Amino acid sequence: MSRPTVAHIDLGALAHNARAIGAFMAARRGAAAPALVGVVKADAYGHGAVPVARTLVGAGAAMIACADIEEGVELREAGIAVPILIFGPFSLGDMDAVFDASLTPTVMTPTSARRLQAAAARRGVRLACHLGIDTGMHRLGLRHDNLARTVPEVLAAPNLDLTGVYTHFATADAPGDALFAAQCRNFDLAMQTLTALGVKGCVIHAANSGALLAEPATWFDLVRPGILMYGVAPRAFEGRIDVKPVMSVRSRVAAVK
């Protein structure tokens, strides 16, 4: 049955938003502005992961990020060639796809590092991975205050290449929020610990939409705007960047009384 209600996705608006975010950062950092990660988890927030990822890569995104391995495989099979970062945890059943699709997993626990190391050793390859740090959101990642105990094992894994380190902010869209300030401090301390442990040459990323607009000190090497990329700025920061809504829901009026 044909229905008159559709969700319209404007990929031109999406490309505009990516360029607007890039221009916003370049105006403040110039040539040192961070690169863009296109976040397309959950089918690109319902916008369609494959066309969105293609558009963002075309607009200059250096990396694509998604929630799980299945989403990453879909993107690879669609021809997305840039690095694809997997945010979420993985099961043993997913392990082959990490290698077959050349995905970049996140190490969030010592156990996940052991599993990745064992799988990479069986294949005789080195696997690039990022380190996820829990700085106070209490969702995923290695505890920021326990890295001296947990990270040496990761660094000693002969088949793992640590190429990135990141955290995620819970309340960056709330100006003056104490948790955001605490997470920033915790991440700085975590990076000091990692440096002392010998971590070097990694890309660092932390800024989501709110942090990108609120605090340039959180930009590091990459930024990961989510809702902002799709045209919705956090309410406290509306108007700082000229973004356009990517999705519009359209229907036909059935009756007027």
Side-chain angles (χ1 to χ4, degrees), residues 110-126:
T111 299
S112 65
R114 293 182 204 119
R115 290 175 175 174
L116 289 172
Q117 163 57 31
R122 286 194 299 270
R123 291 164 176 78
V125 299
R126 292 183 66 83

Side-chain angles (χ1 to χ4, degrees), residues 2-17:
S2 176
R3 297 286 185 178
T5 302
V6 299
H8 178 78
I9 307 300
D10 185 349
L11 295 177
L14 180 69
H16 164 85
N17 294 345

Side-chain angles (χ1 to χ4, degrees), residues 110-203:
T111 299
S112 65
R114 293 182 204 119
R115 290 175 175 174
L116 289 172
Q117 163 57 31
R122 286 194 299 270
R123 291 164 176 78
V125 299
R126 292 183 66 83
L127 177 67
C129 57
H130 285 207
L131 199 66
I133 308 296
D134 177 9
T135 54
M137 188 173 183
H138 303 305
R139 185 168 68 181
L140 296 171
L142 294 164
R143 277 177 41 175
H144 68 90
D145 55 355
N146 201 34
L147 298 178
R149 294 181 60 186
T150 55
V151 170
E153 181 180 354
V154 180
L155 299 179
N159 293 82
L160 298 184
D161 279 331
L162 187 60
T163 59
V165 178
Y166 71 90
T167 193
H168 187 69
F169 296 122
T171 58
D173 56 349
D177 186 85
L179 177 57
F180 176 51
Q183 284 195 263
C184 289
R185 291 192 301 270
N186 290 341
F187 192 56
D188 287 342
L189 292 172
M191 291 308 304
Q192 292 176 30
T193 299
L194 293 175
T195 298
L197 291 171
V199 173
K200 58 182 178 180
C202 293
V203 293

